[in-house]
Amino acid sequence: MKPLERILAEKLLKISAIKLQPELPFTWASGWNSPIYTDNRKTLSYPEVRSFIKVEMCRLIMENFDAPDAIAGVATGAIAMGALVADTLGLPYVYVRSTPKDHGLENLIEGNLKPGQKVVVIEDLISTGGSSLKAVEAIRAAGCEVVGMAAIFTYGFPIAIKRFKDANIELLTLSNYNAMLEAALETQYIREEDIDTLKEWRKDPANWTARR
């Protein structure tokens, strides 16, 4: 039987939540050239995939994080999935903005967190980890304890691994870059010769350029 990370990677590739173009790279908002583009918001449009992620995310939380009091989604990609997970677990839910609202109460956290609550943060994608850990900082600043983070997918960048370690946050993901490469090769989404290119990119994504 295939492991969960491989099963989910195949589903993400099938619905184009993950796209691979080793020879015609994407340009990220950061300006990086990349042979991969991930948009896990697309999973919301596929009930079977959406439910699969929700159930497995709940299982991940129940098996690894001790009795959380609340769930927090990170805006914007994880808002919907975080709400689905919180509803299934019967827990209070909030989401964390990337920047404070520019009017009214200028909230950074939408919803009601009580100081002392144990919170699990939900993310859709872990890239460098910067925006994810800003959400952690906001929740801690509200007087709550972040017991861990659960995400759909991670690129596994060394910088992200270091940042989570330095922040003392346990990160658990349903799938990852290595599992995705295996699934893409097995399903003939990519060729054997593309693997080296995709592995090279992950080593130094900020300076990677496609070979011509």
Side-chain angles (χ1 to χ4, degrees):
M1 184 176 177
K2 291 180 183 178
L4 168 64
E5 59 191 20
R6 281 285 302 278
I7 294 171
L8 180 54
E10 289 179 11
K11 292 179 183 294
L12 296 176
L13 287 165
K14 186 175 181 180
I15 65 171
S16 296
I18 294 177
K19 291 185 178 181
L20 299 173
Q21 293 181 183
E23 296 177 355
L24 187 63
F26 302 95
T27 301
W28 285 6
S30 61
W32 290 4
N33 291 315
S34 171
I36 181 173
Y37 186 78
T38 305
D39 182 5
N40 286 325
R41 294 175 184 84
K42 285 195 172 183
T43 61
L44 300 171
S45 298
Y46 297 84
E48 184 268 333
V49 180
R50 183 181 68 212
S51 294
F52 181 86
I53 291 172
K54 177 189 70 174
V55 169
E56 294 302 330
M57 191 75 78
C58 289
R59 191 196 315 277
L60 193 72
I61 291 168
M62 290 187 293
E63 291 179 353
N64 294 279
F65 299 126
D66 185 34
D69 301 308
I71 299 295
V74 180
T76 59
I79 291 177
M81 185 53 64
L84 289 169
V85 168
D87 188 59
T88 302
L89 295 176
L91 292 173
Y93 178 66
V94 302
Y95 70 85
V96 186
R97 292 175 170 272
S98 56
T99 56
K101 191 188 297 183
D102 61 4
H103 60 279
L105 298 176
E106 299 183 349
N107 294 334
L108 185 58
I109 298 174
E110 297 290 1
N112 186 32
L113 278 182
K114 299 176 182 177
Q117 285 186 315
K118 295 180 178 181
V119 182
V120 171
V121 180
I122 304 296
E123 258 290 23
D124 65 321
L125 173 67
I126 304 296
S127 180
T128 63
S131 58
S132 305
L133 290 171
K134 281 184 180 179
V136 169
E137 291 171 9
I139 294 167
R140 285 174 168 171
C144 296
E145 176 188 354
V146 177
V147 296
M149 183 177 294
I152 297 173
F153 186 82
T154 179
Y155 292 123
F157 291 146
I159 187 174
I161 294 170
K162 183 179 186 301
R163 282 175 169 171
F164 276 90
K165 182 178 180 181
D166 291 347
N168 194 29
I169 291 294
E170 182 178 7
L171 169 66
L172 299 175
T173 65
L174 296 182
S175 191
N176 56 68
Y177 194 73
N178 288 339
M180 183 276 301
L181 290 183
E182 292 174 5
L185 190 59
E186 183 179 295
T187 59
Q188 299 183 329
Y189 189 111
I190 56 173
R191 303 163 300 174
E192 187 75 46
E193 53 264 38
D194 293 325
I195 291 292
D196 288 343
T197 299
L198 289 158
K199 287 183 176 179
E200 250 341 278
W201 168 77
R202 188 172 60 174
K203 291 178 184 176
D204 188 13
N207 298 302
W208 179 86
T209 54
R211 295 176 184 174
R212 300 298 180 187

